[in-house]
Structures are given as structure tokens and as C-alpha cells.
């Protein structure tokens, strides 16, 4: 499957220091949405190995525009709203 996560938000980087990744135990300054220390590639690998895990979706109110953000443990940042002029 190999779905790549979008972690563009600066909230995924902890400036206070590196901690051991919950998956591989090598230190990382990256954090999941829940604050877990985890490399992005480790989170992507975990998602691929756990396809049965509960998912997070954007646009839940409109099923026709539903967008899978990943598992509830490791998921992508929600899509940014576009401005009227098309810039993001």
C-alpha cells in the first residue's frame, strides 16, 4: 500500500529534543499528532502493516468528498483550505 503521510505542520517537530521512536527506538525530534516520538517513515510503515486500524477521514460530513488521512494512531495533517484565488 505504502501511503505517504503529509506532516507539513511544524507541530510535528519538537524543538525540546529527540526521544526514542516508539517503533524503531532510534532517537527522533518528530512527533505524531498524539505527541508520540516517531519517524515519519516508521509511522508510514506502521500504517501499512496495520490496515485494519481505525482510520481518520477529512470531510466526514460529505461522503463524496471523503479523504482518508491514515490510521487514528498515525495520520496526515488535514488538507488546507484553498483561498478563492486558488493559492494555498
Amino acid at each position: 500500500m505504502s501511503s505517504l503521510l503529509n506532516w507539513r505542520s511544524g507541530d510535528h517537530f519538537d524543538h525540546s529534543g529527540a526521544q526514542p521512536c516508539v517503533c524503531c527506538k532510534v532517537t527522533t525530534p518528530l512527533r505524531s499528532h498524539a505527541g508520540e516520538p516517531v519517524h515519519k517513515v516508521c509511522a508510514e510503515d506502521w500504517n501499512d502493516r496495520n490496515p485494519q486500524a481505525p482510520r481518520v477521514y477529512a470531510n466526514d460530513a460529505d461522503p463524496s468528498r471523503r479523504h482518508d488521512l491514515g490510521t487514528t494512531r498515525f495520520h496526515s495533517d488535514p488538507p488546507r483550505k484553498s483561498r478563492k484565488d486558488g493559492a494555498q
Side-chain angles (χ1 to χ4, degrees):
M1 186 184 219
S2 192
S3 56
L4 299 178
L5 295 172
N6 172 350
W7 280 6
R8 291 184 181 167
S9 169
D11 294 339
H12 293 288
F13 191 87
D14 186 351
H15 294 279
S16 67
Q19 293 183 10
C21 173
V22 296
C23 295
C24 75
K25 308 303 181 212
V26 175
T27 59
T28 179
L30 295 177
R31 301 293 183 264
S32 70
H33 287 83
E36 290 182 284
V38 63
H39 298 103
K40 182 176 170 281
V41 69
C42 289
E44 291 165 346
D45 183 53
W46 189 92
N47 280 349
D48 288 344
R49 288 184 288 109
N50 294 276
Q52 76 289 354
R55 317 275 315 167
V56 172
Y57 295 94
N59 297 317
D60 275 335
D62 182 356
S64 68
R65 299 185 63 206
R66 197 171 210 201
H67 182 74
D68 184 357
L69 298 178
T71 66
T72 54
R73 184 172 188 193
F74 303 123
H75 54 275
S76 290
D77 296 337
R80 289 191 275 173
K81 295 184 184 206
S82 297
R83 296 189 331 214
K84 287 183 181 180
D85 63 4
Q88 289 189 358

